[in-house]
Amino acid sequence: MIPVHLSPLILLCGFAFLAGFVDAIAGGGGLIQLPACLILFPAAPLVAIIGTNKMASFFGTSAAAGHFARSVRLDWHVVGPAAGVAFVFSMLGSRAVSVMNPNVLRPVVLGLLIVAAIYVYVVKDIGLEHRPLHTRARGRWLGMLVGAVLGFYDGFFGPGTGSFLILIFASLFGFEFLVASGSAKVVNCATNLASLIYFAATGQVLYRLAIPMAACNVLGSMAGSHLAILKGSRFVRVVFLVIVAGLIAKLGRDMFG
């Protein structure tokens, strides 16, 4: 059993709040929360830390998704099927980790993040107006494809899933950033649930850490989603660029540092 001391737990809860806050706006909460878990509790098994992080993230993402759903008009004909398929493929991705090395994706993900940052920075009007680009039927099938690809990716590797989802909903579907962020939270909620079920079933969740982390992540997510809705799509776009830059820096350091 991993000893849990009060001081690092309080500090970890602070990071969980910050992660929920950032993730609710533009994704990338794992950039804060997972490293904090690893640093503050180095004796814990890596897989258990990942499972613990997933539990906290699931509850935080669920809170943000609910807040967005009540405040922003989401296209459920796209988001619903995407979330359902993402759940199934996230479970498959979590299973695939046991037979494949997820680190092989690092160079690909780093390149995609760089392209995403350049694209959003150069195309100034992306995500600033809500202009759906597809019919209901076509949007549903595209949503299922997005759910399959990013659901598997989140279960298998994960970094940047929320940010990738926001970019895809803004660029491929023509959603404004605020709607794209809310849509991403719903899909991300499904992928986190699938991974959590897998890790919980295999006994890889440290509940003495996960429960207080989840509570703080929920509080941060509620604050972040409220601020995003209050400030609008331009604010979400700026935070998105900052978070993607952070993800690029982290992956680059992990690969070359």
Side-chain angles (χ1 to χ4, degrees), residues 125 129-134 173-176:
D125 60 345
E129 292 186 20
H130 193 62
R131 301 175 184 171
L133 300 176
H134 307 290
F173 290 87
F175 294 174
E176 64 173 317

Side-chain angles (χ1 to χ4, degrees), residues 78-79 81-83 85 138-148 169 173:
V78 172
V79 177
V85 172
R138 182 178 174 83
R140 183 183 299 116
W141 284 107
L142 280 174
M144 292 170 69
L145 177 61
V146 169
F169 281 123
F173 290 87

Side-chain angles (χ1 to χ4, degrees), residues 7-116:
S7 295
L9 180 58
I10 292 173
L11 191 57
L12 182 59
C13 285
F15 281 113
F17 177 90
L18 181 60
F21 181 84
V22 169
D23 197 72
I25 300 171
L31 181 68
I32 299 167
Q33 188 168 266
L34 185 57
C37 289
L38 294 170
I39 292 168
L40 292 171
F41 292 91
L46 176 60
V47 178
I49 285 292
I50 294 172
T52 302
N53 176 68
K54 281 294 182 183
M55 178 172 171
S57 297
F58 165 70
F59 282 100
T61 305
S62 299
H67 195 179
F68 273 109
R70 292 189 298 271
S71 305
V72 177
R73 186 174 181 179
L74 302 181
D75 188 344
W76 289 102
H77 294 94
V78 172
V79 177
V85 172
F87 175 89
V88 175
F89 276 80
S90 180
M91 190 77 74
L92 295 175
S94 295
R95 289 285 296 163
V97 173
S98 62
V99 295
M100 298 171 63
N101 182 3
N103 287 327
V104 299
L105 286 180
R106 286 187 187 275
V108 176
V109 174
L110 179 60
L112 288 174
L113 284 169
I114 292 172
V115 171

Side-chain angles (χ1 to χ4, degrees), residues 23-27 61-62 64-65 68 162 166 180-190:
D23 197 72
I25 300 171
T61 305
S62 299
F68 273 109
I166 291 172
S181 186
S183 302
K185 295 301 164 291
V186 174
V187 177
N188 219 176
C189 181

